[in-house]
């Protein structure tokens, strides 16, 4: 003898109201915690057009070539020799450029060595010519 009737199998309805509440709470949370500035751009203080040196002379132009050496005054220098030459000449601020085939690692190593040597370095990214 069966005392309890079996329950008919019917789909259990999903209540959507609590889900909507959770979505709105998450939406408000992310709206309040997100910065409204564009984050895909990195601001760098590398604009040398408005800067002038105290003597009125232009800043020395250094060019990093693909081999890792740096050209200055139509001569190629290693990084250690370049820093010694710049400090002995009393130069504390330079503009840095690269050739089109210079690897990024070479550029960043040069930038780090110059900054560690006490030389303020400015650089501006130029786009390679389109073929």
């Amino acid at each position: 003898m069966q005392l309890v009737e079996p329950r008919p199998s019917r789909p259990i309805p999903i209540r959507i109201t609590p889900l909507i509440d959770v979505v709105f709470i998450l939406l408000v949370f992310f709206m309040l915690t997100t910065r409204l500035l564009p984050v895909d751009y990195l601001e760098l203080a590398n604009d040398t057009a408005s800067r002038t040196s105290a003597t009125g002379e232009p800043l020395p132009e250094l060019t990093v070539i693909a081999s890792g050496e740096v050209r200055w005054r139509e001569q190629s220098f290693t990084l250690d020799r370049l820093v010694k030459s710049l400090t002995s000449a009393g130069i504390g601020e330079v503009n840095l450029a690269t050739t089109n085939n210079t690897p990024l690692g070479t550029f960043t190593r040069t930038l780090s060595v110059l900054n560690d040597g006490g030389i303020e370095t400015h650089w501006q990214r130029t786009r390679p010519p389109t073929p």
Side-chain angles (χ1 to χ4, degrees):
M1 174 169 174
Q2 192 172 11
L3 296 177
V4 179
E5 282 187 32
R7 294 175 74 179
S9 65
R10 62 180 178 139
I12 299 175
I14 298 175
R15 295 185 336 190
I16 197 100
T17 305
L19 294 176
I20 292 174
D21 292 344
V22 169
V23 169
F24 281 126
I25 289 171
L26 288 173
L27 179 68
V28 169
F29 172 76
F30 286 115
M31 285 174 56
L32 293 175
T33 59
T34 304
R35 292 180 8 169
L36 298 176
L37 298 174
V39 294
D40 53 340
Y41 296 105
L42 179 65
E43 290 186 33
L44 298 173
N46 61 0
D47 181 24
T48 58
S50 62
R51 299 185 69 157
T52 59
S53 60
T55 60
E57 297 176 8
L59 295 176
E61 296 283 334
L62 306 177
T63 304
V64 182
I65 56 179
S67 65
E69 294 185 338
V70 181
R71 283 193 207 133
W72 178 46
R73 294 183 179 168
E74 299 179 9
Q75 295 179 358
S76 292
F77 293 89
T78 61
L79 288 176
D80 295 333
R81 203 176 105 201
L82 176 70
V83 172
K84 289 177 185 175
S85 298
L86 290 171
T87 53
S88 67
I91 297 173
E93 194 173 0
V94 296
N95 287 334
L96 188 64
T98 61
T99 59
N100 288 339
N101 57 352
T102 302
L104 179 62
T106 305
F107 168 74
T108 54
R109 186 176 334 104
T110 304
L111 189 63
S112 297
V113 168
L114 289 173
N115 285 335
D116 290 343
I119 298 169
E120 187 176 349
T121 308
H122 308 282
W123 61 275
Q124 182 175 7
R125 179 180 180 201
T126 57
R127 300 203 184 273
T130 56

